[in-house]
Amino acid sequence: MWQSIKHTAVLALLCFGLNSPSWATDSYDLVLNGGRVIDPETGLDAVRHIGVRDGKIVSMSETALRGKRVLDVSGLIVSPGFIDLHAHGQTILANRVQAYDGVTTALELESGVFPIDAYYQRRAAEGSPLNYGASVNWLSARIAALLDLTPTGDADWFTQALTRDGWQDSIATPEQLDTIEQLVADGLNQGGLGVGFLTGYAPGSGHKEYYRINQLAAARGVPTFTHARFLSMAEPQSSFEAIQEIISVAASTGVHAHIVHLNSISLKDIELIRPMILNARDNGAKLSTEAYPYGAGATSIGAAMFRGEGWRERIGAITANNFAVDGRRLDEAEFARLQKEAPATDIIIHFLDASKPDERALIDQAILMPEGIIASDGGDWTLANEPVPATAWPLPEQAWSHPRSAGTYARFIRNYVTERQALSLTDAIAKVSYLPAKLLQESVPQMRHKGRLQVGADADIVVFSLPEFADAATFATPAQLSKGLKHSIINGQLLIADGVLNTSIMPGQAVRNSGTR
């Protein structure tokens, strides 16, 4: 009898405890109550209450939850954290700026890095506000093979290479090509997320070389990320031809080929290039695209695309005034001087004017590409032509970068959802979270748990006010954080709470493939 009574009492206590406020308070590390939750994979768009434990979403409830820390997010949008596939700013400072733009994972996939191990070791040692990762930099492997150099991964290494000939317009020998392939394979063995092709910076590299390294990527089951070979509307060697090459390797090797910054590489030929990509995809080619919502790009003034006979006419009859350094437009004398004396100088080049309806429509075709991804192509920050220290905070008011380094995602949502209603909020959030994760998840299982708000997903979550979410960065004053971001949660930790950044935590984790197969 006593054992029966004792057993009943224990059951009663347990049942009472499951519903008691004290038990519920301890059950979740973090709770988000009452927000408008968007999950782009399932199409969920409803008020929900989210419970987070040990860096994961463990509850999606229709009733309010209690936990160790509870945030009332009623009236706010609760979204999967944004995943930037094209983030050149791989520093603590660049990450913190992007966090206010909704980014929770910042990947360097267009150019990639080399050596891969050194990159991951450095980021882990420094700590990272955001999740991080990189592809293998084919161009560094090519420079190393053709110039017999040892890549270091330092920016100065590539800057010095810009001043040397022999790799931008040279065909690799069979021995050199073997070396390039081995270096790229080594990077994949070390966890690179794919292969980044800066073919626009080595436009004279061999087509057979491009094909062979894409074959390697296809065999390893990883995607490639290509900055197309040419920047031109004139034939031969047009952007149209360069995109045809990417389509060709996708169709012939089976690789998933991702085309970066479709908006800028297409120039005004997007009306020809867009349907070509869509038709190829409909016929089985594994192709994806990305774009950013600006009519200007950024690169080095000494890049090969700004050299050679007739390059200005090929791009669209541009002048030195289309180029800007530190927000100041150049004249012809200064342009020539910088190309000769300082070819690594960062510049902004204005291709299209978004204030003109016909040119904005061209940008729209890239942005609104079916299943097209939004990626920033953002970079690091400088002040008086020197890098801003990585641990500096807040961002100095006079710091310089392309405004996309601070405002890409808020600008996209403000312009295409809030103001113009060109996309539904769910479709827009898919472009910045679920679709980037989907692109990578076949080769990187970690990504199956990102870009979604579901039980079992990583707790990478952003909370923002839709009416307030807007970019503030401009070409004249780029060092301005996006507005309207209330909370940013990285792997279950509050990096930004009530709009305030916590500089004492580094919750970002490495995103890496499984290496050798």
Side-chain angles (χ1 to χ4, degrees), residues 349-405:
I349 175 170
H350 293 264
F351 294 112
L352 299 170
D353 185 348
S355 68
K356 297 178 180 178
D358 57 335
E359 296 194 5
R360 184 177 72 177
L362 296 175
I363 299 172
D364 287 351
Q365 288 199 45
I367 292 288
L368 299 176
M369 187 82 165
E371 299 227 336
I373 289 164
I374 304 301
S376 76
D377 197 5
D380 287 317
W381 294 85
T382 60
L383 186 62
N385 295 318
E386 294 293 331
V388 178
T391 55
W393 194 258
L395 178 66
E397 291 183 3
Q398 301 303 315
W400 184 88
S401 187
H402 192 298
R404 66 193 180 192
S405 302

Side-chain angles (χ1 to χ4, degrees), residues 231-239 241 267 269 310 313-315:
L231 184 68
S232 172
M233 291 181 291
E235 294 189 291
Q237 298 185 340
S238 66
S239 296
E241 178 184 335
L267 300 171
D269 275 345
E313 288 70 28
R314 295 172 67 83
I315 294 176

Side-chain angles (χ1 to χ4, degrees), residues 211-234:
Y211 181 82
R212 181 165 161 183
I213 304 304
N214 271 278
Q215 280 185 306
L216 169 65
R220 296 294 296 273
V222 298
T224 58
F225 306 86
T226 302
H227 177 138
R229 190 179 293 268
F230 307 121
L231 184 68
S232 172
M233 291 181 291

Side-chain angles (χ1 to χ4, degrees), residues 101 407 410-411 414 465-473 481-484:
D101 206 30
R411 179 184 182 90
R414 170 185 62 80
S465 166
L466 184 59
E468 297 176 78
F469 197 44
D471 55 313
L481 303 178
S482 292
K483 302 175 181 178

Side-chain angles (χ1 to χ4, degrees), residues 155-219:
D156 289 344
W157 187 85
F158 183 70
T159 297
Q160 292 172 5
L162 276 174
T163 66
R164 299 182 59 174
D165 296 324
W167 57 271
Q168 294 169 321
D169 294 292
S170 301
I171 302 299
T173 66
E175 294 76 17
Q176 290 169 336
L177 184 48
D178 286 345
T179 300
I180 294 168
E181 183 177 35
Q182 185 58 57
L183 290 172
V184 173
D186 290 345
L188 293 176
N189 289 343
Q190 294 169 14
L193 299 175
V195 183
F197 283 99
L198 288 173
T199 51
Y201 292 81
S205 56
H207 295 273
K208 293 178 183 178
E209 178 181 335
Y210 182 65
Y211 181 82
R212 181 165 161 183
I213 304 304
N214 271 278
Q215 280 185 306
L216 169 65

Side-chain angles (χ1 to χ4, degrees), residues 198-392:
L198 288 173
T199 51
Y201 292 81
S205 56
H207 295 273
K208 293 178 183 178
E209 178 181 335
Y210 182 65
Y211 181 82
R212 181 165 161 183
I213 304 304
N214 271 278
Q215 280 185 306
L216 169 65
R220 296 294 296 273
V222 298
T224 58
F225 306 86
T226 302
H227 177 138
R229 190 179 293 268
F230 307 121
L231 184 68
S232 172
M233 291 181 291
E235 294 189 291
Q237 298 185 340
S238 66
S239 296
F240 184 86
E241 178 184 335
I243 299 297
Q244 281 185 319
E245 179 183 34
I246 300 171
I247 293 171
S248 173
V249 298
S252 57
T253 70
V255 76
H256 184 128
H258 182 72
I259 301 168
V260 305
H261 46 52
L262 182 65
N263 53 316
S264 57
I265 205 69
S266 300
L267 300 171
K268 294 183 180 180
D269 275 345
I270 185 67
E271 293 175 315
L272 292 172
I273 290 171
R274 184 178 190 268
M276 178 171 64
I277 295 169
L278 292 174
N279 288 337
R281 203 162 69 187
D282 288 345
N283 283 287
K286 296 178 183 178
L287 293 162
S288 54
T289 65
E290 68 176 55
Y292 51 80
Y294 297 87
T299 186
S300 300
I301 200 167
M305 65 192 79
F306 307 135
R307 297 183 182 275
E309 184 177 354
W311 69 266
R312 294 173 186 256
E313 288 70 28
R314 295 172 67 83
I315 294 176
I318 65 174
T319 69
N321 188 250
N322 288 86
F323 294 80
V325 174
D326 288 339
R328 175 178 54 84
R329 297 290 183 121
L330 301 183
D331 58 27
E332 294 297 341
E334 182 70 356
F335 180 87
R337 184 189 71 78
L338 290 171
Q339 272 212 326
K340 181 180 180 180
E341 299 176 7
T345 301
D346 291 331
I347 55 91
I348 287 177
I349 175 170
H350 293 264
F351 294 112
L352 299 170
D353 185 348
S355 68
K356 297 178 180 178
D358 57 335
E359 296 194 5
R360 184 177 72 177
L362 296 175
I363 299 172
D364 287 351
Q365 288 199 45
I367 292 288
L368 299 176
M369 187 82 165
E371 299 227 336
I373 289 164
I374 304 301
S376 76
D377 197 5
D380 287 317
W381 294 85
T382 60
L383 186 62
N385 295 318
E386 294 293 331
V388 178
T391 55

